[in-house]
Amino acid sequence: MRIFNTLGRSVQDFEPSGSTVKMYVCGPTVYDEVHIGHGRTFVAYDMMSRYFKLKGYDVIRVQNITDIDDKIIKKSNETGKGWEEIVAMYSNSYLESLELLKVKIDLHPRVSQHVKDIIDFVSRLIEKGKAYVAESGSVYFDVDTYDKYGELSNTMKNLWNQGEETIKEKRHSYDFALWKASKPNEPFWESPWGRGRPGWHIECSTMSTRYLGETFDIHGGGMDLIFPHHENERAQSESLIGHPWVKYWVHTAFITIKKEKMSKSLGNIIPLKDALKEWGPSTLRLWFLSSHYRSNVDFSDETMEQAKSSIERFHNALAILRSVLREGNKFYSSQDGIRTFQKVLTMRQRFYQALDDDFDTPSALASIHDLASLIFTEIQQERDFLSAVTAMDLMRDFNQVFGVLDDELESQGKHMNTLVENILEVRKNLREKKMYEASDLIRDALAKSGIKIMDSKEGSTWRLE
Ligand SMILES: Nc1ncnc2c1ncn2[C@@H]1O[C@H](COP(=O)(O)OP(=O)(O)OP(=O)(O)O)[C@@H](O)[C@H]1O
Ligand SMILES: [Zn+2]
């Protein structure tokens, strides 16, 4: 498997640190409704984690909720509602939307519940001489102490201007806040440096390390987060732990509207909740995954309609497969059936190769459209068990990663055994009928897909090559 790593800007072999892939993705700041731009990013990481599972890895996925932030305080002042009320309202709505969208996340840590951990993180950075306390009681990270600064985002720190307000008390204009001294009428927490609240970047360093350990495999978010958010996270985390922190930095491109990023602050959003009501989770997910996660996608009703009709097409194909499997001649295959079976195996290979190549979902989807075409023609006419059972298996794999068909079709990642056992039954049957040529064709087709069959007097066994 290969994956694009923003650190190094290249597609690299994916080698997680163990059998569990550990992922952390930056979640939303809950001061407004999440929109389909967020949804796209969350579904992209969901697709990745589903594919890892299909490949046999365990996955632990953490996505934070930013519930302390300037924008939340601003909204609270504007509306007269307490910040807790705002946070409760929008985080509930966010979690409901994720559930409807079938996005599975193991942990949703909140900043407000980790202030102690954050204070501890900041204190240790101060002890190590990487951060300093300013006159106001704010604490800043001393960027000059981290010599890899700028490596992730290709940014020159000197060009980073954070506004005049805090520059006076900072050693360098590019130092960033780890802890912000509170102003009147702002929520605050007690700390060794006086009353204040965490800066933005420190929350992700603290919570990811707390739940995933000192190194983990994937850190994700939208491309807008590469700088300064992820650059700063990396600087403070590696300064504390003293070794490389994240193996693969993965970033998603945007949903745009009239070519402009969909954004709460620009006011051009389609709330995820509304989109779910209008199109339903399957159409939305398929629409998100119809483009590569690193390409921007402009919203249009037309492409959404296309996604909707693709889902119908897949359901029709499934209905045919189910009827062939119900009434078909079980564990038997004709010459034509074997030829069709070979085609299905080629599509299966294309599907996996596409996803192995930096999660190329558009190409993977193209192979499933080809499969549907094959189901509507050859498989429907031949009604052959072997090709139908193999096609059904590929539809299951597709659904496990894309999550757009019936839930009952979700496979558990281990069903490969059942598929090969079924195919071996077909071969056994053909061999008993002395149809050795057909049986050899099946063996050769499987070998091309990396499944080696070993025949002996006791029967046939198999292994993955
Ligand atoms: N239009 C978009 N398309 C894809 N991903 C997005 C989009 N907008 C935000 N994201 C991603 O969603 C996650 C949560 O975002 P967050 O709440 O921090 O958004 P934000 O950038 O503050 O939102 P906004 O820009 O709408 O104010 C981040 O990983 C962010 O990069
Ligand atoms: Zn973050």
Side-chain angles (χ1 to χ4, degrees):
M1 254 190 102
R2 289 160 67 71
I3 187 168
F4 185 88
N5 193 346
T6 305
L7 185 62
R9 312 236 161 210
S10 58
V11 180
Q12 300 172 1
D13 286 338
F14 182 68
E15 281 157 10
S17 36
S19 59
T20 301
V21 178
K22 298 176 183 169
M23 298 173 73
Y24 182 93
V25 176
C26 294
T29 307
V30 282
Y31 70 97
D32 206 339
E33 291 294 348
V34 285
H35 52 72
I36 58 171
H38 300 125
R40 196 267 177 123
T41 288
F42 304 149
V43 167
Y45 292 101
D46 187 56
M47 170 276 292
M48 293 177 202
S49 95
R50 283 162 172 262
Y51 189 55
F52 290 136
K53 286 182 189 164
L54 185 63
K55 300 278 280 191
Y57 292 110
D58 287 324
V59 177
I60 166 156
R61 194 169 161 211
V62 181
Q63 187 163 299
N64 67 306
I65 294 179
T66 301
D67 63 351
I68 303 176
D69 185 82
D70 292 345
K71 293 176 193 165
I72 299 173
I73 297 170
K74 189 165 166 256
K75 183 97 174 197
S76 159
N77 292 338
E78 280 166 10
T79 57
K81 290 189 177 129
W83 69 271
E84 289 101 331
E85 196 185 334
I86 297 198
V87 161
M89 185 161 83
Y90 293 118
S91 57
N92 285 342
S93 169
Y94 157 67
L95 293 171
E96 276 164 26
S97 296
L98 283 189
E99 175 137 8
L100 285 173
L101 205 50
K102 295 200 262 176
V103 169
K104 292 177 196 124
I105 291 166
D106 300 298
L107 282 171
H108 299 275
R110 290 166 188 252
V111 195
S112 62
Q113 289 164 0
H114 293 81
V115 176
K116 245 179 100 225
D117 295 326
I118 291 173
I119 291 174
D120 182 52
F121 200 117
V122 176
S123 304
R124 285 159 64 208
L125 280 174
I126 297 172
E127 272 163 35
K128 289 188 94 173
K130 311 282 183 185
Y132 57 93
V133 187
E135 214 177 294
S136 63
S138 290
V139 182
Y140 296 97
F141 183 80
D142 187 343
V143 170
D144 279 355
T145 63
Y146 180 67
D147 57 13
K148 290 195 272 179
Y149 196 85
E151 205 178 71
L152 178 66
S153 57
N154 281 335
T155 310
M156 308 287 286
K157 61 188 175 190
N158 299 321
L159 299 179
W160 186 29
N161 185 350
Q162 296 187 75
E164 293 303 312
E165 194 190 339
T166 58
I167 285 184
K168 291 190 289 299
E169 64 171 11
K170 291 199 280 186
R171 286 184 192 162
H172 316 282
S173 61
Y174 41 78
D175 291 349
F176 57 89
L178 298 168
W179 183 264
K180 294 180 171 180
S182 64
K183 299 190 188 111
N185 300 322
E186 283 185 354
F188 63 83
W189 283 258
E190 299 292 346
S191 82
W193 322 289
R195 291 174 169 180
R197 64 194 154 90
W200 175 28
H201 319 297
I202 193 71
E203 67 177 83
C204 291
S205 287
T206 306
M207 295 191 286
S208 58
T209 309
R210 157 131 193 209
Y211 295 107
L212 299 176
E214 281 197 351
T215 49
F216 56 93
D217 303 302
I218 290 186
H219 192 322
M223 286 183 185
D224 54 331
L225 300 188
I226 300 175
F227 186 84
H229 187 48
H230 288 165
E231 191 71 72
N232 291 355
E233 277 190 42
R234 181 170 182 251
Q236 62 206 6
S237 297
E238 295 201 343
S239 295
L240 186 74
I241 62 180
H243 56 75
W245 181 45
V246 167
K247 285 192 90 170
Y248 303 93
W249 287 91
V250 179
H251 293 100
T252 48
F254 304 127
I255 296 288
T256 56
I257 249 185
K258 300 199 178 89
K259 305 285 175 202
E260 203 170 29
K261 179 187 179 241
M262 183 173 291
S263 162
K264 289 176 284 199
S265 24
L266 292 175
N268 60 354
I269 69 166
I270 300 177
L272 189 51
K273 243 175 30 187
D274 297 356
L276 279 162
K277 250 187 236 141
E278 183 154 359
W279 292 290
S282 297
T283 299
L284 257 186
R285 284 186 69 104
L286 194 74
W287 183 73
F288 288 143
L289 296 172
S290 298
S291 45
H292 192 271
Y293 75 91
R294 287 194 288 115
S295 311
N296 282 354
V297 192
D298 208 45
F299 171 81
S300 79
D301 280 313
E302 198 189 330
T303 49
M304 203 63 93
E305 285 301 328
Q306 278 165 13
K308 192 172 160 202
S309 56
S310 295
I311 301 271
E312 276 166 27
R313 187 165 191 262
F314 296 148
H315 277 295
N316 293 339
L318 274 180
I320 293 172
L321 283 184
R322 288 196 173 110
S323 86
V324 173
L325 289 174
R326 247 193 326 266
E327 76 200 30
N329 191 352
K330 208 171 178 194
F331 301 136
Y332 178 75
S333 185
S334 65
Q335 290 284 350
D336 284 347
I338 291 172
R339 218 168 298 127
T340 308
F341 162 74
Q342 286 168 326
K343 290 183 192 167
V344 178
L345 284 186
T346 308
M347 288 163 191
R348 182 191 167 87
Q349 226 167 350
R350 276 173 52 208
F351 176 79
Y352 273 91
Q353 272 166 1
L355 292 175
D356 277 346
D357 180 16
D358 191 28
F359 306 102
D360 182 354
T361 51
S363 301
L365 191 59
S367 71
I368 300 303
H369 270 295
D370 289 348
L371 178 70
S373 303
L374 194 73
I375 294 170
F376 293 132
T377 51
E378 271 113 303
I379 294 183
Q380 188 169 22
Q381 283 150 23
E382 293 158 4
R383 310 194 84 72
D384 185 272
F385 176 77
L386 182 67
S387 52
V389 82
T390 313
M392 185 57 114
D393 188 75
L394 181 50
M395 286 304 261
R396 271 205 197 95
D397 287 0
F398 162 64
N399 195 41
Q400 182 167 339
V401 183
F402 281 63
V404 295
L405 303 171
D406 325 0
D407 286 344
E408 66 194 75
L409 204 69
E410 294 235 354
S411 59
Q412 299 305 315
K414 302 273 184 272
H415 68 278
M416 175 83 173
N417 297 350
T418 332
L419 171 68
V420 183
E421 296 308 327
N422 270 324
I423 297 175
L424 290 186
E425 274 300 316
V426 176
R427 274 189 83 236
K428 192 167 147 226
N429 234 304
L430 294 173
R431 287 160 76 85
E432 278 165 12
K433 294 190 172 79
K434 305 216 179 309
M435 295 166 72
Y436 296 115
E437 204 180 322
S439 133
D440 287 352
L441 279 175
I442 297 176
R443 185 196 57 207
D444 296 348
L446 285 174
K448 272 196 209 139
S449 296
I451 299 165
K452 187 174 165 65
I453 305 290
M454 285 90 57
D455 293 318
S456 72
K457 273 195 205 114
E458 289 76 40
S460 303
T461 52
W462 63 281
R463 65 176 154 82
L464 290 178
E465 287 274 82

